[in-house]
Amino acid sequence: MGKSLHIQGLKGTKFSQQLRGVNLEQVLIVAIDAAKLHQKALICNYFGDIIAKPFFFSVNHSGMQTLYDAIEQAVASTGAVRLFLGIEATGHYYEDIVREMAKQGYLVQILNAYTTFEERASALNWCKTDDLDLVAIAHALKSNKATEFRLAEGLGRQLHVLTRARRSEIRKRSTLRMEIRTLMDNVWREFQGYADHSHGRARKIKVFSDFWGKASLFFMEHYPHPAAICKLGETGLRKLSIQHNLKLRATAIRKLLQVAAESLSSDEQTLRSELLLLRIKLQDLRAFDAKIDTLEQEIEGLLLQTDGRLLLTVPGLGVSTAAELYAEMGDVSHYTHAGQLIKKAGTNPVVKQTGGSAGSYGKIYKQGNSHLRYVAYLAGRSLCLHNPDLRPFYERLKNRGKHPRSIFVAMGNKMLKLAFAMLRDKKPFLSNTPSCPLAQEMNKKLRFSCFITLGIA
């Protein structure tokens, strides 16, 4: 006889095997709602009969013992032979509970917050209370809707923490940079670029090729007002360029003097508040740059100690993106095929079919790990632009009229499939372009580490 199939696939097969032949009154469900201070739990049997009413517990030794005692009493009173525990992934508050319960031998299933929302909606109840959340978690466990069972450990956990922290700092720095641009608009709007209307065309001419480069930051910090530039003159600017190694070209000096002379900025006394804020923001920017550099150095060192370094052999995939992808994917040995990773990311398309038609693919599902979904999108965008081996895939979808964002998601899914195979088989990316050896491809991306070799068979 062939292998039996289940409507929920392998996941459903494993779930049904745990229930088959068991008295469902002896199947207990423990629903846990995590929070910052006041955790709550509910224990019922498979039919929904309440064994232990919702009760509070704390995440400390005595609080966790309260939870363990309640579970043991419920098992003893019902003679339970199967136990399903589930918790909603609420911020980071659930992680300590899952980790501590694993030490006691309890396997806690992790539910996506959107899953519990759907459970409340399916009951036509849009209220949200702790008790309703517990009921929704219990229903989701009965329906086998958990997404994960394990938390990251070891080096994977460290990468998990640091890559998310880096992403957070990057976003904060982006907000800060927008504030600095706004302040420079108020102080000296042409510093970021001026308009050229010659030859009947409207163009923007940049004074500095990189607004966040060394030269631009130097002048924003020390000479942010056009009057100071005019006072320096060409000779003064050349002297500063040599003294501080700004590498200003003659064209950049002429542009800077031109926009300074043409500027309609208010005097420095009037702009005193803006100039003070600008100095403070630039100090903050240096602090953010230093923090991000520290994080990236640590991330690079950790990544090179894991199989995740194999991802560096993929042209177009940098160290930070590779580390973040590896950390969010987790241990690939927990999965049987790449489609499970795509579903974990929530980048699988929603299929709509009716009446025997071929069906259509709509928007992505968006359930699952939002961090994995985001980094898969970033990886897909980078590969579309910088990977010659995968470029034909991008061109094919583009010629079919697909939106760029849809192509980036599709490429991200392809990267998840590639990463799954590479990490499972412990093999590097096989490029059709032999011009760049694998070790060279890896080492050119490293900023803080010495030359390395793959070291993996």
Side-chain angles (χ1 to χ4, degrees):
M1 181 182 292
K3 187 177 180 180
S4 61
L5 299 177
H6 192 278
I7 58 174
Q8 286 187 320
L10 180 62
K11 179 183 173 185
T13 300
K14 292 180 178 179
F15 185 70
S16 63
Q17 286 173 349
Q18 292 179 284
L19 294 177
R20 189 167 281 114
V22 175
N23 180 1
L24 295 182
E25 291 185 354
Q26 294 179 299
V27 176
L28 287 186
I29 292 175
V30 181
I32 304 171
D33 185 27
K36 185 176 179 66
L37 292 176
H38 308 294
Q39 282 64 225
K40 210 168 187 181
L42 163 71
I43 304 176
C44 63
N45 63 18
Y46 192 81
F47 296 109
D49 300 322
I50 295 178
I51 308 301
K53 293 181 179 179
F55 59 92
F56 290 106
F57 68 95
S58 300
V59 186
N60 52 35
H61 289 296
S62 58
M64 294 303 295
Q65 192 59 51
T66 299
L67 177 61
Y68 301 147
D69 291 343
I71 294 173
E72 290 171 4
Q73 290 173 12
V75 170
S77 65
T78 60
V81 295
R82 294 287 185 274
L83 188 63
F84 294 97
L85 302 95
I87 190 169
E88 183 181 347
T90 307
H92 58 273
Y93 303 122
Y94 70 98
E95 294 181 2
D96 287 337
I97 299 173
V98 175
R99 194 172 292 112
E100 287 301 314
M101 296 193 75
K103 293 177 183 177
Q104 301 298 319
Y106 293 107
L107 182 63
V108 183
Q109 303 181 56
I110 303 171
L111 293 155
N112 187 282
Y114 193 78
T115 300
T116 56
F117 168 79
E118 281 189 328
E119 288 294 333
R120 290 194 300 271
S122 65
L124 299 181
N125 193 334
W126 283 270
C127 297
K128 188 182 187 305
T129 66
D130 291 341
D131 289 355
L132 286 176
D133 284 344
L134 289 170
V135 171
I137 292 169
H139 276 296
L141 286 171
K142 283 176 57 179
S143 303
N144 192 28
K145 292 184 177 179
T147 56
E148 296 183 75
F149 296 85
R150 300 172 182 87
L151 296 175
E153 298 176 348
L155 293 176
R157 179 184 175 276
Q158 294 181 49
L159 278 174
H160 198 264
V161 172
L162 293 178
T163 53
R164 289 193 179 185
R166 175 189 170 275
R167 178 66 54 198
S168 175
E169 295 302 314
I170 289 285
R171 287 171 175 163
K172 292 175 186 175
R173 186 176 68 177
S174 297
T175 301
L176 179 62
R177 283 180 169 181
M178 289 301 300
E179 293 173 354
I180 291 173
R181 283 187 178 275
T182 302
L183 283 169
M184 280 306 299
D185 278 338
N186 292 329
V187 173
W188 182 6
R189 62 185 298 168
E190 297 89 356
F191 185 85
Q192 299 184 53
Y194 61 94
D196 176 35
H197 300 147
S198 60
H199 308 294
R201 295 169 54 192
R203 294 188 304 156
K204 177 184 175 181
I205 307 296
K206 292 182 178 180
V207 178
F208 299 97
S209 58
D210 182 6
F211 184 73
W212 304 110
K214 181 179 179 180
S216 178
L217 288 173
F218 175 84
F219 284 107
M220 279 193 284
E221 185 172 5
H222 300 286
Y223 303 94
H225 196 272
I229 299 297
C230 292
K231 187 176 180 180
L232 283 169
E234 185 173 348
T235 303
L237 289 173
R238 289 187 185 280
K239 185 177 178 180
L240 281 176
S241 178
I242 296 170
Q243 184 179 353
H244 298 280
N245 194 26
L246 302 179
K247 298 180 181 178
L248 283 178
R249 294 183 178 181
T251 53
I253 292 176
R254 286 197 297 269
K255 289 177 185 177
L256 195 56
L257 288 170
Q258 178 187 339
V259 294
E262 293 285 335
S263 176
L264 298 177
S265 297
S266 302
D267 60 81
E268 294 183 67
Q269 183 60 35
T270 303
L271 296 171
R272 183 179 177 183
S273 298
E274 285 84 354
L275 291 170
L276 174 62
L277 284 173
L278 180 62
R279 285 196 298 273
I280 293 172
K281 298 293 183 183
L282 287 170
Q283 290 172 2
D284 291 342
L285 181 62
R286 284 199 301 273
F288 271 112
D289 288 339
K291 284 191 290 185
I292 292 169
D293 273 351
T294 301
L295 287 171
E296 289 180 348
Q297 182 173 2
E298 186 69 16
I299 287 168
E300 184 176 296
L302 290 172
L303 180 66
L304 295 179
Q305 299 176 53
T306 69
D307 290 346
R309 66 186 184 276
L310 286 167
L311 299 178
L312 296 178
T313 63
V314 181
L317 203 64
V319 173
S320 297
T321 306
E324 197 168 358
L325 187 65
Y326 176 77
E328 296 299 342
M329 286 172 62
D331 189 348
V332 297
S333 65
H334 297 160
Y335 306 96
T336 56
H337 58 85
Q340 294 169 322
L341 275 173
I342 293 174
K343 189 169 183 180
K344 177 183 177 179
T347 50
N348 51 314
V350 176
V351 183
K352 296 183 179 180
Q353 181 188 34
T354 184
S357 64
S360 62
Y361 292 89
K363 298 180 179 180
I364 60 174
Y365 205 52
K366 284 192 177 181
Q367 289 197 32
N369 186 326
S370 60
H371 298 280
L372 178 57
R373 182 162 61 250
Y374 182 73
V375 71
Y377 175 85
L378 289 182
R381 184 176 64 180
S382 181
L383 294 178
C384 285
L385 300 174
H386 305 295
N387 190 302
D389 295 284
L390 299 177
R391 184 78 182 182
F393 177 76
Y394 166 76
E395 296 291 349
R396 188 163 61 250
L397 294 182
K398 183 179 178 182
N399 293 335
R400 286 166 53 184
K402 296 292 184 180
H403 192 280
R405 285 197 296 269
S406 299
I407 301 176
F408 297 157
V409 170
M411 185 67 83
N413 286 342
K414 181 174 278 291
M415 183 61 237
L416 287 174
K417 293 177 183 178
L418 286 170
F420 173 78
M422 291 166 62
L423 295 172
R424 179 196 59 195
D425 302 334
K426 292 182 170 48
K427 291 184 178 180
F429 180 78
L430 298 177
S431 174
N432 295 322
T433 308
S435 59
C436 186
L438 293 178
Q440 182 180 339
E441 178 65 32
M442 295 175 68
N443 282 281
K444 74 179 184 181
K445 299 173 181 178
L446 302 179
R447 291 178 55 204
F448 308 100
S449 306
C450 298
F451 184 86
I452 63 166
T453 57
L454 287 176
I456 294 178

